Amino acid sequence: MRWNCRLPRAFWGSGLGRAHQPPDDRIPFLIHWSWPRKGECPLGPSRAFTRHHGSSVGSAPPPGRHGQLFQSVSAAEAIQRHRQNLAEWFIRLPREEHQFGPTFALDAVHVDPVIRESTADELLHTPVELALEHQPPQPGLPTLALSQLFDPDACGRRVQTVVLYGTVGTGKSTLVRKMVLDWCHRRLPTFELIIPFSCEDLSSLGPAPASLCQLVAQRNMALKEVLPLMAAAGPRLLFVLHGLEHLNLDFQLAGTGLCSDPEEPKAPAAIIVNLLRKYMLPEASILVTTRPSAISRIPSKYVGRYGEICGFSDTNLQKLYFQLRLNQPDCGNSAGGAGVLATSAQRDNLVQMLSRNLEGHHQIAAACFLPSYCWLVCATLHFLHTPTPGGQTLTSIYTSFLRLNFSGEMLDSTDPSRVSLMAYAARTLGKLAHKGVTSRKTYFSEEDVRGCLEAGIETEKEFQLVHVFRRDALRFFLAPCVEPGHLGTYVFTVPAMQEYLAALYIVLGLHKTTLQRVSKDVAELVGRVGEDVSLVLGIVAKLLPLRVLPVLFSLLKVVPRVFGRVMGKSREAVAQAMVLEMFREEDYYNDDVLDQMGASILGVEGPRRHPDEPPEDEVFELFPMFMGGLLSAHNRAVLAQLGCPIKNLDVLENTQAIKKKLGKQGRQVLPPSELLDYLFFHYEFQNQRFSAEVLSSLRQLNLAGVRMTPLKCTVVAAVLSRGKHTLDEVNLASCQLDPAGLHTLKPVLLRARKLGLQLNSLGPEACRNLRDLLLHDQCQITTLRLSNNPLTAAGAALLVEGLAGNTSLTHLSLLHTGLGDKGLELLAAQLDRNQQLQELNVAYNGAGDTAALALAKAARGHPSLELLHLYFNELSSEGRQVLRDLGGTAEGGAQVVTSLTEGTAVSEYWSVILSEVQRNLNSWDQARVQRHLELLLRDLEDSRGATLNPWRKAQMLRVKGEVKALLEQLRGSGS
């Protein structure tokens, strides 16, 4: 995974103009736009629409009688109701957009894609290559703005029919949706009336006859009163025909007769043909959107202008899109109330890093050529950097992304097989992706691509499907590689898409060896004839007592079971491959997959790898994550909508095979980043029972050094919170945790025996969460390490409250937490309220003699405290002597450690002190540490001179050598 938008397709269904109804899950997803909130007028003072790059706003009305056609009160009211109905319908948000905040509006982030004018001669040319390159415009053909679509052509002729075409993901639907909303909000004065049609909706009607007036009235009830005026509207009436690829049009007179009467019932396809022929309503304007493969369905003589939607071919448009979407002030809170990109500084930083990566990494810019992938980048960044809604996973983002682009899409509406476009992509490009993962390659030659697309083609229909897929969707999944050294090859548009398609290819059962294919055919054949043959053999055996017949009868029963076991072995092989990919030792010391994905989008700060250096091995750590995620119930439901159903029995058998393999491999000790990847796999799987059983053997959670973002905290909490077993140790040192992360992880922390939170910059605010944790009745923590966190005395006051009510804690480390005199005095005053504490470390806290002596006296009188660490505090020589004397005045009580020596002997804790210094040498104040080490050296010299015992002198010489080595190391690092 080296690195690593279109907005949702609008759908104009039969619900326009009907009475308001609440959103229902039964409504198809892509027509499920949000109804306006109660009391909100969509045509009143609207939110500020941002106009960029050729907006339809500002287009002047045609000269003449504009504005006089619908001046009657009834007609004006009908048009106004029509505007309201269209606005209410088209402003509805798909559920994928809800992750960006409850007040997110697509209209505030719209950026028009580039529209390039093309000619009929250019469209007739069939490219020999794979049609992945974006062709530059021919000389003399400029780019078009929305307001220029119906301008006169180069010869001065009036343009009445415009065909906009583009591959999947270029933004056809979003562009037209924006145009319709502009008209609804009176920002498109060129047209007095716009009537949008979904060709997918019209195709669902079949050949049932209906007049144009009936089709309009059924979908736009408010227009019943103005239907008689349509013929007189002329070019100020615009029909929008969206998704022409869904209709099979026949322009031959033998197939579709002429019809000029809008009230004459005809098949919907015949009405569309006569509208395009300009035989019905000849003065009306028509805007058609279609995929490239369906352009030829309209003869060029009926088209005034062709426009190719080229997406964001300009990097500045990509940057503008990211700035608008990621910097939206309305997205300050998520649906759950948690902060979303909480500060403008954080949002600006993301945008700046992304912009720099777009400038320096041309492959991500090539991917964001498609507006759809700009959406995917924003959704991924939102997933990585904001509180995650419950149940949202990386796999669900990619699956939803494909639903936004392919839901309901057939590869070719004229083909009787009605093959789903997504299913075709999974079968062909999924095979290419899987070959890449197994051979560890991400660059593919043209022969590789052709081999997967054209494998097994035997009929003309199959060849036609390949041609349609190449023209319409291949550029969505594959892009020409622009990296030096790999020119002429192809890569998946984003690397994670290769791993997703490879995983989809596996879980759909499309990957089969020759033995598996033969086994399946034989098993099905035997299953079909087995019962009949068994019946015949049973009758013959009664008439002719042949001994061989019972043997044949038994073989017929055994054959299906044998081949069933072959298929079972294949599932075990798939699970084995997935587990081996997850636990590859080569990946043990790289970043976790979430940090890898963030770095691939935002770039890596620092110098880039030199071109002459050997390339790093390709990493496919997302492949097993996606395999687990695709088996979850939510993703399977979405895939079924895309024409890629996964059977429940296959899911069960795959899950059992994965569980069996994970049970063996999952017990090994993993590095922190790989352990997080392992937990992330379970999070993507979304099977709590499965995870609880497999992770029941996990006893140590070591995530030290992993940057615990809100998402990672959510992952760990979601996966481990359902378990019941105790965790012996949870190590979260140097994880950049904050109070919100502690709150999220609370269910996991409650099950820990030893909890390490060192080096996390936790302040007094975090101590509130720690206090609540200690006071919880299910708390099992016995050892709590909080060293090297700026807790201060304010935090100590909160911790004291937690200690007073806690019954499990025995070891507490507050080393280098900035407690000062006040913090130690608070501990001294409240220490007796806890009766279980055995060890307390308050070393290196800047405390003076008085506070240290008060705490030492409290510790000496504590019933259970055995050890108190006070070294590296600001103690005078007299203060250290008083503390030593205090330790020798009475039997029992806590031992106070202030130095490397105890009288004339070496302290038994000298190695503990020096190991703490060694561990924190680079993070502590070096001048202060040097001063304390020099004091320790002086103590050693004094004690060595005060003893005559040669053994003790030898011990002190050894310890002195260790201290001098630390001093030399400190001076060396300082220089």
Side-chain angles (χ1 to χ4, degrees), residues 201-262:
D201 174 40
L202 295 178
S203 68
S204 67
L205 301 177
S211 67
L212 175 63
C213 292
Q214 288 175 333
L215 291 177
V216 173
Q218 287 173 359
R219 288 152 182 79
N220 309 274
M221 296 179 62
L223 295 181
K224 280 187 176 182
E225 301 178 17
V226 299
L227 288 178
L229 301 176
M230 283 196 308
R236 297 188 298 279
L237 169 63
L238 174 64
F239 287 99
V240 178
L241 306 177
H242 176 60
L244 187 75
E245 66 273 4
H246 293 282
L247 284 177
N248 190 11
L249 304 181
D250 185 0
F251 279 82
Q252 296 184 359
L253 290 176
T256 304
L258 298 175
C259 177
S260 61
D261 185 3

Side-chain angles (χ1 to χ4, degrees), residues 728-750:
D728 294 336
E729 183 175 5
V730 174
N731 188 355
L732 296 173
S734 303
C735 289
Q736 302 181 34
L737 273 174
D738 56 12
L742 289 177
H743 177 75
T744 303
L745 291 170
K746 184 177 180 180
V748 179
L749 304 184
L750 286 172

Side-chain angles (χ1 to χ4, degrees), residues 86-101:
L86 282 182
E88 291 174 357
W89 185 255
F90 282 100
I91 208 169
R92 302 170 75 185
L93 288 173
R95 69 192 68 172
E96 279 77 2
E97 297 292 359
H98 294 168
Q99 64 177 310
F100 294 101

Side-chain angles (χ1 to χ4, degrees), residues 410-431:
M410 297 294 112
L411 180 58
D412 186 1
S413 62
T414 64
D415 184 63
S417 63
R418 307 283 291 175
V419 178
S420 161
L421 201 159
M422 189 61 226
Y424 192 88
R427 188 172 71 245
T428 55
L429 295 183
K431 181 179 181 181

Side-chain angles (χ1 to χ4, degrees), residues 349-626:
N349 184 49
L350 280 181
V351 173
Q352 290 174 7
M353 293 180 67
L354 184 54
S355 297
R356 286 197 299 268
N357 203 26
L358 285 172
E359 295 169 358
H361 195 326
H362 301 293
Q363 198 61 56
I364 187 175
C368 293
F369 161 83
L370 294 174
S372 289
Y373 279 94
C374 292
W375 183 93
L376 180 61
V377 167
C378 288
T380 304
L381 285 177
H382 199 273
F383 174 72
L384 293 175
H385 293 276
T386 63
T388 305
Q392 186 185 53
T393 64
L394 186 63
T395 311
S396 69
I397 288 178
Y398 273 74
T399 307
S400 299
F401 167 68
L402 294 174
R403 171 167 61 178
L404 287 174
N405 289 277
F406 292 101
S407 183
E409 291 282 346
M410 297 294 112
L411 180 58
D412 186 1
S413 62
T414 64
D415 184 63
S417 63
R418 307 283 291 175
V419 178
S420 161
L421 201 159
M422 189 61 226
Y424 192 88
R427 188 172 71 245
T428 55
L429 295 183
K431 181 179 181 181
L432 180 69
H434 183 257
K435 284 185 176 180
V437 170
T438 54
S439 59
R440 313 204 71 75
K441 60 184 287 189
T442 57
Y443 304 98
F444 303 94
S445 65
E446 185 172 334
E447 290 73 20
D448 294 333
V449 180
R450 288 185 184 277
C452 289
L453 289 177
E454 300 175 3
I457 292 182
E458 299 177 353
T459 65
E460 181 64 24
K461 288 184 178 180
E462 292 175 344
F463 183 82
Q464 177 63 23
L465 291 179
V466 173
H467 175 72
V468 171
F469 183 78
R470 281 173 48 182
R471 294 201 66 186
D472 291 351
L474 187 59
R475 179 61 181 86
F476 182 86
F477 294 103
L478 292 178
C481 183
V482 297
E483 296 178 4
H486 297 282
L487 298 179
T489 61
Y490 302 98
V491 296
F492 280 86
T493 312
V494 293
M497 185 58 73
Q498 177 181 351
E499 299 176 72
Y500 180 92
L501 288 177
L504 182 61
Y505 183 72
I506 293 297
V507 299
L508 289 176
L510 299 175
H511 176 63
K512 293 183 176 68
T513 64
T514 303
L515 176 61
Q516 293 165 5
R517 286 192 293 268
V518 172
S519 300
K520 181 180 179 182
D521 295 339
V522 172
E524 291 178 352
L525 177 62
V526 173
R528 285 195 298 267
V529 302
E531 293 184 3
D532 297 334
V533 174
S534 298
L535 180 61
V536 172
L537 289 177
I539 296 174
V540 172
K542 291 181 179 179
L543 299 176
L544 301 173
L546 301 178
R547 297 181 180 273
V548 73
L549 292 182
V551 176
L552 293 176
F553 182 79
S554 300
L555 285 176
L556 286 174
K557 293 182 178 180
V558 170
V559 169
R561 280 180 285 179
V562 170
F563 288 119
R565 290 183 179 179
V566 172
M567 299 303 292
K569 291 293 183 181
S570 70
R571 292 189 175 89
E572 289 188 7
V574 169
Q576 178 71 13
M578 188 203 74
V579 172
L580 289 178
E581 186 66 42
M582 187 183 307
F583 295 105
R584 288 182 75 238
E585 292 185 5
E586 294 89 337
D587 303 334
Y588 269 17
Y589 299 101
N590 57 10
D591 293 334
D592 60 80
V593 291
L594 297 176
D595 279 352
Q596 289 180 43
M597 178 163 281
S600 68
I601 296 175
L602 299 175
V604 179
E605 297 296 327
R608 295 182 179 274
R609 183 175 58 85
H610 193 275
D612 295 335
E613 293 181 11
E616 298 177 357
D617 189 21
E618 298 294 346
V619 177
F620 297 99
E621 292 185 272
L622 278 176
F623 170 62
M625 315 298 172
F626 282 139

